[in-house]
Amino acid sequence: MFINFYTFFIFYFFIICSIFGYGFLISDSFGKSFSSKNIGYIGLTAIFFFTIYSYFTSLFIEHGLYHNLIFLGLGFIFFIFKIKNFSKFSKSNLLITVGIFAFLFFGLFIHKAHDDFLYYHFQYSYYLTQQPIVLGIGNFGLGLRTSSSLFYLNSLFYLPVIKYFTFQITPVLILGLSNLILIVKIQNDLKNNRYNFLTIYNLLVFIFINIFFYRISEHGTDKSAQILILILISEILLMVNYKVIIEKSITKLFTLIGLIIAFKAFYILYGLLFFVIIYHLFKVKKNLSNIFKVLVKNYFVLSFIFLLFLLLFHNFLISGCLIYPVSISCFDDNLWAININEVKDLNNWYEQ
């Protein structure tokens, strides 16, 4: 029992360090496109990169034990070499980071798996560790028709010794990093005596997610995205109401929107928020050519577009629909496509 506990802790620690290792690498590599004093965003951008990587590589190879060990091992090496980056943050931020993930570590033992974990979460995640994506796999089961980054991220955490016991870690990462983002935001406002409606909003969101979303067993493909939606609203309000460096704000917004849509394709409806972003950009940059320059020069915007393409392509390969079960996005003349009448029936069920 103690060996299992310590083994799990070691791999948990290994994964967390790897994520921050890649986060620091991205922060150092993209310069002006990404620079954040909020350590939570360092981790979240790594999750964004993990999502793109997992979707892309699953087209060609399985996320097997040694592939994942090498991939996460590189992140751990980056963490060791870039550990000095922690000096950019205050000691209180580092203590909060350690405290949050230590607390959530014990939460993994307390809470059971999501109700759908045995139904299809486990099967989907595990199949990605055994082979590349299978054309038309959606025909084998209802749960296999919905592509979610939850399963693709889970597959990257399939490691030697611990195997699939870390499949529960993705919701923990999102909950932990989201708490970290909110705490640092609130802490900075209080430190600088900068109290405004956003401080109150962030405080309410922090309280809300830790009261209603604290149970990991409820974090399927919905809850993690919903938490990020609340943070996305905070960032949009910050951009619209206060003077911020627009390039850095755009980076955060596209990272958040990309992660939200990746968790559940239905959340592409939040793409409507792009109109708010573009409208504000037009107010700041005055004309379309300047807006275009800002967007094209931002690596995270380009990464978001690539991720969106991967999401639609994966959905198409799985079910014959770009967004399942939106029938208008389906190509039912393909051999592997789900029957269009079945798609329409399921769409009606989802609407209910």
Short mmCIF file of all heavy atoms in Angstrom, two decimals, residues 233-294:
data_model
loop_
_atom_site.label_atom_id
_atom_site.label_comp_id
_atom_site.label_asym_id
_atom_site.label_seq_id
_atom_site.Cartn_x
_atom_site.Cartn_y
_atom_site.Cartn_z
N ILE A 233 -14.16 34.76 -19.47
CA ILE A 233 -14.98 35.97 -19.28
C ILE A 233 -14.20 37.03 -18.51
O ILE A 233 -14.25 38.23 -18.83
CB ILE A 233 -16.29 35.61 -18.55
CG1 ILE A 233 -17.16 34.73 -19.45
CG2 ILE A 233 -17.05 36.88 -18.13
CD1 ILE A 233 -18.37 34.13 -18.76
N SER A 234 -13.45 36.60 -17.49
CA SER A 234 -12.62 37.53 -16.72
C SER A 234 -11.60 38.23 -17.62
O SER A 234 -11.40 39.45 -17.52
CB SER A 234 -11.91 36.78 -15.59
OG SER A 234 -11.00 37.62 -14.91
N GLU A 235 -10.96 37.47 -18.50
CA GLU A 235 -9.94 38.04 -19.38
C GLU A 235 -10.54 38.99 -20.41
O GLU A 235 -9.94 40.01 -20.75
CB GLU A 235 -9.17 36.91 -20.09
CG GLU A 235 -8.30 36.07 -19.18
CD GLU A 235 -7.18 36.86 -18.52
OE1 GLU A 235 -6.84 37.96 -19.01
OE2 GLU A 235 -6.64 36.38 -17.50
N ILE A 236 -11.74 38.66 -20.90
CA ILE A 236 -12.41 39.55 -21.85
C ILE A 236 -12.80 40.85 -21.18
O ILE A 236 -12.63 41.94 -21.73
CB ILE A 236 -13.64 38.85 -22.47
CG1 ILE A 236 -13.20 37.74 -23.43
CG2 ILE A 236 -14.52 39.86 -23.23
CD1 ILE A 236 -14.31 36.96 -24.05
N LEU A 237 -13.33 40.76 -19.97
CA LEU A 237 -13.70 41.97 -19.21
C LEU A 237 -12.47 42.82 -18.92
O LEU A 237 -12.53 44.06 -18.98
CB LEU A 237 -14.38 41.57 -17.90
CG LEU A 237 -15.77 40.96 -18.01
CD1 LEU A 237 -16.25 40.46 -16.66
CD2 LEU A 237 -16.76 41.98 -18.58
N LEU A 238 -11.36 42.17 -18.62
CA LEU A 238 -10.11 42.90 -18.37
C LEU A 238 -9.66 43.63 -19.62
O LEU A 238 -9.26 44.80 -19.57
CB LEU A 238 -9.02 41.92 -17.91
CG LEU A 238 -7.63 42.51 -17.65
CD1 LEU A 238 -7.66 43.48 -16.49
CD2 LEU A 238 -6.62 41.39 -17.38
N MET A 239 -9.72 42.95 -20.77
CA MET A 239 -9.27 43.55 -22.03
C MET A 239 -10.16 44.73 -22.43
O MET A 239 -9.66 45.77 -22.87
CB MET A 239 -9.30 42.49 -23.14
CG MET A 239 -8.86 43.01 -24.50
SD MET A 239 -9.10 41.81 -25.84
CE MET A 239 -10.89 41.81 -25.98
N VAL A 240 -11.47 44.58 -22.25
CA VAL A 240 -12.41 45.59 -22.72
C VAL A 240 -12.43 46.82 -21.80
O VAL A 240 -12.57 47.95 -22.28
CB VAL A 240 -13.83 44.98 -22.82
CG1 VAL A 240 -14.87 46.07 -23.09
CG2 VAL A 240 -13.87 43.93 -23.91
N ASN A 241 -12.28 46.61 -20.50
CA ASN A 241 -12.47 47.70 -19.54
C ASN A 241 -11.19 48.38 -19.07
O ASN A 241 -11.26 49.46 -18.47
CB ASN A 241 -13.24 47.18 -18.32
CG ASN A 241 -14.68 46.86 -18.66
OD1 ASN A 241 -15.51 47.74 -18.76
ND2 ASN A 241 -14.96 45.57 -18.85
N TYR A 242 -10.05 47.76 -19.30
CA TYR A 242 -8.80 48.33 -18.78
C TYR A 242 -7.72 48.32 -19.85
O TYR A 242 -7.76 47.51 -20.79
CB TYR A 242 -8.32 47.54 -17.54
CG TYR A 242 -9.33 47.60 -16.42
CD1 TYR A 242 -10.25 46.57 -16.25
CD2 TYR A 242 -9.36 48.67 -15.54
CE1 TYR A 242 -11.20 46.62 -15.22
CE2 TYR A 242 -10.29 48.73 -14.51
CZ TYR A 242 -11.22 47.69 -14.37
OH TYR A 242 -12.14 47.75 -13.37
N LYS A 243 -6.77 49.20 -19.68
CA LYS A 243 -5.67 49.28 -20.63
C LYS A 243 -4.70 48.13 -20.37
O LYS A 243 -4.03 48.07 -19.35
CB LYS A 243 -4.93 50.62 -20.49
CG LYS A 243 -5.75 51.81 -20.95
CD LYS A 243 -4.95 53.11 -20.82
CE LYS A 243 -5.77 54.29 -21.31
NZ LYS A 243 -5.01 55.57 -21.20
N VAL A 244 -4.65 47.20 -21.32
CA VAL A 244 -3.74 46.06 -21.23
C VAL A 244 -2.97 45.96 -22.54
O VAL A 244 -3.40 46.49 -23.56
CB VAL A 244 -4.49 44.74 -20.95
CG1 VAL A 244 -5.17 44.77 -19.60
CG2 VAL A 244 -5.52 44.46 -22.05
N ILE A 245 -1.85 45.26 -22.49
CA ILE A 245 -1.10 45.02 -23.73
C ILE A 245 -1.89 44.02 -24.55
O ILE A 245 -2.05 42.86 -24.17
CB ILE A 245 0.31 44.49 -23.41
CG1 ILE A 245 1.07 45.50 -22.57
CG2 ILE A 245 1.07 44.18 -24.70
CD1 ILE A 245 2.43 45.01 -22.08
N ILE A 246 -2.40 44.48 -25.68
CA ILE A 246 -3.38 43.70 -26.45
C ILE A 246 -2.81 42.37 -26.92
O ILE A 246 -3.53 41.36 -26.97
CB ILE A 246 -3.90 44.55 -27.65
CG1 ILE A 246 -5.19 43.92 -28.21
CG2 ILE A 246 -2.86 44.69 -28.73
CD1 ILE A 246 -6.37 44.02 -27.31
N GLU A 247 -1.51 42.33 -27.28
CA GLU A 247 -0.91 41.09 -27.78
C GLU A 247 -0.93 39.99 -26.72
O GLU A 247 -1.22 38.83 -27.01
CB GLU A 247 0.53 41.35 -28.25
CG GLU A 247 0.65 42.11 -29.57
CD GLU A 247 0.38 43.60 -29.42
OE1 GLU A 247 0.31 44.07 -28.26
OE2 GLU A 247 0.24 44.28 -30.45
N LYS A 248 -0.60 40.37 -25.48
CA LYS A 248 -0.59 39.39 -24.39
C LYS A 248 -2.01 38.94 -24.05
O LYS A 248 -2.25 37.78 -23.72
CB LYS A 248 0.09 39.98 -23.16
CG LYS A 248 1.58 40.23 -23.35
CD LYS A 248 2.20 40.83 -22.11
CE LYS A 248 3.68 41.12 -22.33
NZ LYS A 248 4.32 41.72 -21.15
N SER A 249 -2.95 39.87 -24.14
CA SER A 249 -4.34 39.54 -23.87
C SER A 249 -4.88 38.57 -24.91
O SER A 249 -5.58 37.60 -24.57
CB SER A 249 -5.19 40.82 -23.86
OG SER A 249 -6.51 40.55 -23.46
N ILE A 250 -4.54 38.81 -26.17
CA ILE A 250 -4.97 37.92 -27.26
C ILE A 250 -4.43 36.51 -27.06
O ILE A 250 -5.12 35.51 -27.28
CB ILE A 250 -4.50 38.48 -28.63
CG1 ILE A 250 -5.28 39.74 -28.99
CG2 ILE A 250 -4.62 37.44 -29.73
CD1 ILE A 250 -6.74 39.51 -29.24
N THR A 251 -3.18 36.41 -26.60
CA THR A 251 -2.56 35.11 -26.35
C THR A 251 -3.37 34.31 -25.34
O THR A 251 -3.68 33.13 -25.56
CB THR A 251 -1.12 35.30 -25.84
OG1 THR A 251 -0.32 35.84 -26.88
CG2 THR A 251 -0.52 33.98 -25.38
N LYS A 252 -3.75 34.94 -24.24
CA LYS A 252 -4.52 34.26 -23.21
C LYS A 252 -5.90 33.87 -23.73
O LYS A 252 -6.39 32.76 -23.47
CB LYS A 252 -4.65 35.15 -21.97
CG LYS A 252 -3.34 35.40 -21.25
CD LYS A 252 -3.54 36.37 -20.10
CE LYS A 252 -2.23 36.68 -19.40
NZ LYS A 252 -2.40 37.69 -18.32
N LEU A 253 -6.54 34.79 -24.44
CA LEU A 253 -7.90 34.54 -24.93
C LEU A 253 -7.94 33.35 -25.88
O LEU A 253 -8.81 32.47 -25.76
CB LEU A 253 -8.44 35.79 -25.62
CG LEU A 253 -8.72 36.99 -24.71
CD1 LEU A 253 -9.08 38.22 -25.53
CD2 LEU A 253 -9.83 36.68 -23.73
N PHE A 254 -7.02 33.30 -26.83
CA PHE A 254 -7.03 32.20 -27.81
C PHE A 254 -6.62 30.88 -27.18
O PHE A 254 -7.08 29.82 -27.60
CB PHE A 254 -6.15 32.55 -29.01
CG PHE A 254 -6.84 33.40 -30.04
CD1 PHE A 254 -6.87 34.78 -29.92
CD2 PHE A 254 -7.49 32.81 -31.11
CE1 PHE A 254 -7.53 35.56 -30.85
CE2 PHE A 254 -8.15 33.59 -32.06
CZ PHE A 254 -8.16 34.97 -31.92
N THR A 255 -5.75 30.94 -26.19
CA THR A 255 -5.38 29.73 -25.46
C THR A 255 -6.59 29.16 -24.73
O THR A 255 -6.87 27.96 -24.80
CB THR A 255 -4.25 30.02 -24.45
OG1 THR A 255 -3.10 30.49 -25.15
CG2 THR A 255 -3.89 28.77 -23.67
N LEU A 256 -7.32 30.02 -24.05
CA LEU A 256 -8.50 29.60 -23.29
C LEU A 256 -9.59 29.07 -24.22
O LEU A 256 -10.17 28.00 -23.97
CB LEU A 256 -9.03 30.75 -22.45
CG LEU A 256 -8.19 31.13 -21.23
CD1 LEU A 256 -8.61 32.51 -20.69
CD2 LEU A 256 -8.32 30.08 -20.13
N ILE A 257 -9.89 29.81 -25.29
CA ILE A 257 -10.94 29.38 -26.22
C ILE A 257 -10.57 28.05 -26.87
O ILE A 257 -11.42 27.17 -27.03
CB ILE A 257 -11.20 30.46 -27.29
CG1 ILE A 257 -11.77 31.72 -26.64
CG2 ILE A 257 -12.17 29.94 -28.36
CD1 ILE A 257 -11.91 32.90 -27.58
N GLY A 258 -9.29 27.89 -27.23
CA GLY A 258 -8.84 26.63 -27.83
C GLY A 258 -9.04 25.46 -26.90
O GLY A 258 -9.54 24.39 -27.31
N LEU A 259 -8.70 25.61 -25.64
CA LEU A 259 -8.86 24.54 -24.65
C LEU A 259 -10.33 24.23 -24.41
O LEU A 259 -10.73 23.07 -24.28
CB LEU A 259 -8.18 24.93 -23.33
CG LEU A 259 -6.65 24.90 -23.34
CD1 LEU A 259 -6.10 25.52 -22.05
CD2 LEU A 259 -6.14 23.47 -23.49
N ILE A 260 -11.16 25.27 -24.36
CA ILE A 260 -12.60 25.09 -24.12
C ILE A 260 -13.24 24.28 -25.24
O ILE A 260 -13.96 23.30 -24.98
CB ILE A 260 -13.29 26.46 -23.97
CG1 ILE A 260 -12.86 27.13 -22.66
CG2 ILE A 260 -14.81 26.32 -24.03
CD1 ILE A 260 -13.18 28.61 -22.60
N ILE A 261 -12.98 24.67 -26.47
CA ILE A 261 -13.57 23.96 -27.61
C ILE A 261 -13.03 22.54 -27.71
O ILE A 261 -13.75 21.61 -28.07
CB ILE A 261 -13.30 24.73 -28.92
CG1 ILE A 261 -14.01 26.09 -28.88
CG2 ILE A 261 -13.75 23.93 -30.14
CD1 ILE A 261 -13.67 26.99 -30.05
N ALA A 262 -11.75 22.37 -27.36
CA ALA A 262 -11.14 21.03 -27.44
C ALA A 262 -11.78 20.07 -26.45
O ALA A 262 -11.90 18.87 -26.72
CB ALA A 262 -9.64 21.13 -27.19
N PHE A 263 -12.20 20.57 -25.28
CA PHE A 263 -12.84 19.69 -24.29
C PHE A 263 -14.18 19.18 -24.78
O PHE A 263 -14.55 18.03 -24.55
CB PHE A 263 -13.00 20.41 -22.95
CG PHE A 263 -11.83 20.25 -22.04
CD1 PHE A 263 -11.01 21.33 -21.73
CD2 PHE A 263 -11.52 19.01 -21.49
CE1 PHE A 263 -9.91 21.18 -20.89
CE2 PHE A 263 -10.43 18.86 -20.66
CZ PHE A 263 -9.62 19.94 -20.36
N LYS A 264 -14.94 20.03 -25.46
CA LYS A 264 -16.23 19.61 -25.98
C LYS A 264 -16.56 20.45 -27.21
O LYS A 264 -16.62 21.68 -27.12
CB LYS A 264 -17.32 19.76 -24.93
CG LYS A 264 -18.59 19.00 -25.26
CD LYS A 264 -19.34 18.63 -24.01
CE LYS A 264 -20.42 17.61 -24.31
NZ LYS A 264 -21.03 17.07 -23.08
N ALA A 265 -16.78 19.78 -28.34
CA ALA A 265 -16.98 20.49 -29.61
C ALA A 265 -18.19 21.41 -29.56
O ALA A 265 -18.22 22.44 -30.24
CB ALA A 265 -17.13 19.47 -30.75
N PHE A 266 -19.20 21.06 -28.75
CA PHE A 266 -20.39 21.90 -28.64
C PHE A 266 -20.05 23.30 -28.15
O PHE A 266 -20.76 24.26 -28.44
CB PHE A 266 -21.38 21.25 -27.67
CG PHE A 266 -22.46 20.46 -28.36
CD1 PHE A 266 -22.27 19.96 -29.64
CD2 PHE A 266 -23.66 20.23 -27.72
CE1 PHE A 266 -23.26 19.24 -30.27
CE2 PHE A 266 -24.66 19.49 -28.36
CZ PHE A 266 -24.47 18.99 -29.63
N TYR A 267 -18.95 23.42 -27.41
CA TYR A 267 -18.56 24.72 -26.88
C TYR A 267 -17.99 25.64 -27.95
O TYR A 267 -17.54 26.75 -27.65
CB TYR A 267 -17.56 24.56 -25.74
CG TYR A 267 -18.18 24.00 -24.48
CD1 TYR A 267 -17.52 23.06 -23.71
CD2 TYR A 267 -19.44 24.42 -24.05
CE1 TYR A 267 -18.09 22.54 -22.55
CE2 TYR A 267 -20.02 23.92 -22.90
CZ TYR A 267 -19.34 22.98 -22.15
OH TYR A 267 -19.91 22.48 -21.02
N ILE A 268 -18.04 25.19 -29.20
CA ILE A 268 -17.64 26.07 -30.31
C ILE A 268 -18.60 27.26 -30.38
O ILE A 268 -18.30 28.29 -31.01
CB ILE A 268 -17.60 25.29 -31.64
CG1 ILE A 268 -16.73 26.04 -32.67
CG2 ILE A 268 -19.00 25.05 -32.19
CD1 ILE A 268 -16.39 25.22 -33.90
N LEU A 269 -19.76 27.12 -29.73
CA LEU A 269 -20.71 28.24 -29.65
C LEU A 269 -20.07 29.46 -28.99
O LEU A 269 -20.47 30.60 -29.26
CB LEU A 269 -21.95 27.81 -28.86
CG LEU A 269 -22.86 26.76 -29.51
CD1 LEU A 269 -23.91 26.29 -28.52
CD2 LEU A 269 -23.50 27.32 -30.76
N TYR A 270 -19.09 29.21 -28.13
CA TYR A 270 -18.41 30.34 -27.47
C TYR A 270 -17.50 31.08 -28.44
O TYR A 270 -16.90 32.10 -28.08
CB TYR A 270 -17.62 29.85 -26.25
CG TYR A 270 -18.53 29.54 -25.09
CD1 TYR A 270 -19.03 28.26 -24.89
CD2 TYR A 270 -18.91 30.54 -24.21
CE1 TYR A 270 -19.89 27.98 -23.83
CE2 TYR A 270 -19.78 30.27 -23.15
CZ TYR A 270 -20.26 28.99 -22.97
OH TYR A 270 -21.13 28.72 -21.94
N GLY A 271 -17.44 30.58 -29.67
CA GLY A 271 -16.74 31.31 -30.72
C GLY A 271 -17.38 32.66 -31.00
O GLY A 271 -16.77 33.56 -31.59
N LEU A 272 -18.64 32.82 -30.54
CA LEU A 272 -19.32 34.11 -30.68
C LEU A 272 -18.58 35.22 -29.95
O LEU A 272 -18.69 36.40 -30.30
CB LEU A 272 -20.75 34.00 -30.14
CG LEU A 272 -21.71 33.11 -30.92
CD1 LEU A 272 -23.02 32.94 -30.16
CD2 LEU A 272 -21.97 33.67 -32.30
N LEU A 273 -17.79 34.83 -28.95
CA LEU A 273 -17.01 35.83 -28.21
C LEU A 273 -15.92 36.45 -29.08
O LEU A 273 -15.36 37.49 -28.72
CB LEU A 273 -16.38 35.18 -26.97
CG LEU A 273 -17.37 34.75 -25.88
CD1 LEU A 273 -16.66 33.96 -24.79
CD2 LEU A 273 -18.06 35.97 -25.27
N PHE A 274 -15.62 35.81 -30.22
CA PHE A 274 -14.64 36.39 -31.14
C PHE A 274 -15.10 37.76 -31.62
O PHE A 274 -14.28 38.64 -31.90
CB PHE A 274 -14.41 35.48 -32.35
CG PHE A 274 -13.52 34.32 -32.05
CD1 PHE A 274 -13.95 33.02 -32.26
CD2 PHE A 274 -12.24 34.50 -31.56
CE1 PHE A 274 -13.13 31.94 -31.99
CE2 PHE A 274 -11.41 33.44 -31.29
CZ PHE A 274 -11.87 32.16 -31.51
N PHE A 275 -16.42 37.95 -31.75
CA PHE A 275 -16.93 39.24 -32.20
C PHE A 275 -16.60 40.34 -31.21
O PHE A 275 -16.31 41.47 -31.59
CB PHE A 275 -18.45 39.15 -32.43
CG PHE A 275 -18.85 38.28 -33.59
CD1 PHE A 275 -19.41 37.04 -33.38
CD2 PHE A 275 -18.63 38.71 -34.89
CE1 PHE A 275 -19.77 36.22 -34.45
CE2 PHE A 275 -18.98 37.91 -35.98
CZ PHE A 275 -19.55 36.66 -35.75
N VAL A 276 -16.64 40.00 -29.92
CA VAL A 276 -16.27 40.96 -28.88
C VAL A 276 -14.78 41.30 -28.99
O VAL A 276 -14.38 42.47 -28.90
CB VAL A 276 -16.57 40.40 -27.47
CG1 VAL A 276 -16.13 41.38 -26.40
CG2 VAL A 276 -18.05 40.07 -27.34
N ILE A 277 -13.97 40.25 -29.19
CA ILE A 277 -12.52 40.43 -29.30
C ILE A 277 -12.17 41.28 -30.52
O ILE A 277 -11.38 42.24 -30.42
CB ILE A 277 -11.81 39.06 -29.38
CG1 ILE A 277 -12.07 38.26 -28.09
CG2 ILE A 277 -10.31 39.24 -29.61
CD1 ILE A 277 -11.62 36.81 -28.18
N ILE A 278 -12.77 40.94 -31.67
CA ILE A 278 -12.48 41.69 -32.91
C ILE A 278 -12.96 43.13 -32.80
O ILE A 278 -12.27 44.06 -33.24
CB ILE A 278 -13.15 40.99 -34.12
CG1 ILE A 278 -12.55 39.59 -34.34
CG2 ILE A 278 -12.97 41.83 -35.38
CD1 ILE A 278 -11.05 39.58 -34.61
N TYR A 279 -14.12 43.32 -32.19
CA TYR A 279 -14.66 44.68 -32.02
C TYR A 279 -13.70 45.52 -31.18
O TYR A 279 -13.42 46.68 -31.52
CB TYR A 279 -16.03 44.62 -31.35
CG TYR A 279 -16.60 45.98 -31.00
CD1 TYR A 279 -17.09 46.83 -32.00
CD2 TYR A 279 -16.65 46.42 -29.67
CE1 TYR A 279 -17.59 48.08 -31.69
CE2 TYR A 279 -17.15 47.67 -29.35
CZ TYR A 279 -17.62 48.49 -30.36
OH TYR A 279 -18.12 49.73 -30.05
N HIS A 280 -13.19 44.93 -30.09
CA HIS A 280 -12.25 45.68 -29.24
C HIS A 280 -10.93 45.93 -29.98
O HIS A 280 -10.36 47.02 -29.86
CB HIS A 280 -11.98 44.90 -27.95
CG HIS A 280 -11.07 45.63 -27.01
ND1 HIS A 280 -11.46 46.75 -26.30
CD2 HIS A 280 -9.76 45.42 -26.69
CE1 HIS A 280 -10.45 47.19 -25.58
NE2 HIS A 280 -9.41 46.41 -25.79
N LEU A 281 -10.48 44.96 -30.73
CA LEU A 281 -9.26 45.14 -31.52
C LEU A 281 -9.42 46.29 -32.52
O LEU A 281 -8.50 47.08 -32.73
CB LEU A 281 -8.92 43.85 -32.28
CG LEU A 281 -8.07 42.81 -31.56
CD1 LEU A 281 -7.99 41.53 -32.38
CD2 LEU A 281 -6.69 43.33 -31.26
N PHE A 282 -10.61 46.36 -33.10
CA PHE A 282 -10.87 47.43 -34.07
C PHE A 282 -10.83 48.80 -33.40
O PHE A 282 -10.34 49.78 -33.96
CB PHE A 282 -12.23 47.21 -34.74
CG PHE A 282 -12.49 48.12 -35.90
CD1 PHE A 282 -11.93 47.88 -37.14
CD2 PHE A 282 -13.29 49.25 -35.74
CE1 PHE A 282 -12.16 48.74 -38.21
CE2 PHE A 282 -13.53 50.11 -36.80
CZ PHE A 282 -12.96 49.86 -38.04
N LYS A 283 -11.33 48.87 -32.16
CA LYS A 283 -11.30 50.12 -31.41
C LYS A 283 -9.88 50.55 -31.10
O LYS A 283 -9.55 51.74 -31.11
CB LYS A 283 -12.09 49.97 -30.11
CG LYS A 283 -13.60 49.95 -30.29
CD LYS A 283 -14.30 49.75 -28.95
CE LYS A 283 -14.03 50.90 -27.99
NZ LYS A 283 -14.75 50.72 -26.71
N VAL A 284 -9.01 49.56 -30.83
CA VAL A 284 -7.63 49.85 -30.44
C VAL A 284 -6.74 50.08 -31.67
O VAL A 284 -5.95 51.03 -31.71
CB VAL A 284 -7.06 48.71 -29.57
CG1 VAL A 284 -5.58 48.95 -29.28
CG2 VAL A 284 -7.85 48.58 -28.27
N LYS A 285 -6.88 49.21 -32.66
CA LYS A 285 -5.97 49.24 -33.82
C LYS A 285 -6.52 50.02 -35.01
O LYS A 285 -5.80 50.23 -35.99
CB LYS A 285 -5.67 47.80 -34.26
CG LYS A 285 -4.93 46.97 -33.19
CD LYS A 285 -3.57 47.56 -32.88
CE LYS A 285 -2.83 46.72 -31.84
NZ LYS A 285 -1.51 47.29 -31.51
N LYS A 286 -7.79 50.41 -34.94
CA LYS A 286 -8.42 51.34 -35.88
C LYS A 286 -8.79 50.76 -37.25
O LYS A 286 -9.78 51.14 -37.83
CB LYS A 286 -7.53 52.58 -36.10
CG LYS A 286 -7.14 53.31 -34.82
CD LYS A 286 -8.36 53.75 -34.02
CE LYS A 286 -7.95 54.50 -32.76
NZ LYS A 286 -9.11 54.87 -31.93
N ASN A 287 -7.99 49.85 -37.80
CA ASN A 287 -8.35 49.32 -39.12
C ASN A 287 -8.04 47.82 -39.21
O ASN A 287 -7.31 47.26 -38.40
CB ASN A 287 -7.62 50.07 -40.24
CG ASN A 287 -6.11 50.00 -40.13
OD1 ASN A 287 -5.52 48.92 -40.21
ND2 ASN A 287 -5.48 51.15 -39.91
N LEU A 288 -8.60 47.19 -40.24
CA LEU A 288 -8.52 45.74 -40.39
C LEU A 288 -7.10 45.25 -40.65
O LEU A 288 -6.72 44.16 -40.21
CB LEU A 288 -9.44 45.28 -41.53
CG LEU A 288 -10.94 45.42 -41.26
CD1 LEU A 288 -11.74 45.05 -42.50
CD2 LEU A 288 -11.36 44.53 -40.09
N SER A 289 -6.31 46.02 -41.37
CA SER A 289 -4.93 45.59 -41.67
C SER A 289 -4.10 45.48 -40.40
O SER A 289 -3.31 44.54 -40.24
CB SER A 289 -4.26 46.57 -42.65
OG SER A 289 -4.14 47.86 -42.08
N ASN A 290 -4.28 46.43 -39.47
CA ASN A 290 -3.56 46.36 -38.19
C ASN A 290 -4.02 45.18 -37.35
O ASN A 290 -3.22 44.53 -36.67
CB ASN A 290 -3.75 47.66 -37.41
CG ASN A 290 -2.99 48.83 -38.01
OD1 ASN A 290 -2.00 48.63 -38.72
ND2 ASN A 290 -3.46 50.04 -37.75
N ILE A 291 -5.33 44.91 -37.38
CA ILE A 291 -5.87 43.75 -36.67
C ILE A 291 -5.27 42.47 -37.23
O ILE A 291 -4.86 41.58 -36.49
CB ILE A 291 -7.41 43.71 -36.78
CG1 ILE A 291 -8.02 44.90 -36.04
CG2 ILE A 291 -7.96 42.40 -36.24
CD1 ILE A 291 -9.52 45.03 -36.22
N PHE A 292 -5.22 42.41 -38.55
CA PHE A 292 -4.67 41.22 -39.22
C PHE A 292 -3.21 41.00 -38.83
O PHE A 292 -2.79 39.87 -38.57
CB PHE A 292 -4.80 41.38 -40.74
CG PHE A 292 -4.33 40.19 -41.52
CD1 PHE A 292 -5.09 39.04 -41.59
CD2 PHE A 292 -3.10 40.23 -42.18
CE1 PHE A 292 -4.65 37.93 -42.30
CE2 PHE A 292 -2.66 39.13 -42.90
CZ PHE A 292 -3.43 37.99 -42.96
N LYS A 293 -2.45 42.07 -38.75
CA LYS A 293 -1.04 41.97 -38.37
C LYS A 293 -0.88 41.43 -36.95
O LYS A 293 -0.02 40.60 -36.68
CB LYS A 293 -0.36 43.34 -38.50
CG LYS A 293 -0.14 43.80 -39.92
CD LYS A 293 0.47 45.20 -39.95
CE LYS A 293 0.64 45.70 -41.38
NZ LYS A 293 1.18 47.09 -41.42
N VAL A 294 -1.73 41.94 -36.05
CA VAL A 294 -1.67 41.48 -34.65
C VAL A 294 -1.96 39.99 -34.56
O VAL A 294 -1.26 39.24 -33.86
CB VAL A 294 -2.69 42.27 -33.78
CG1 VAL A 294 -2.81 41.63 -32.40
CG2 VAL A 294 -2.25 43.72 -33.65
#
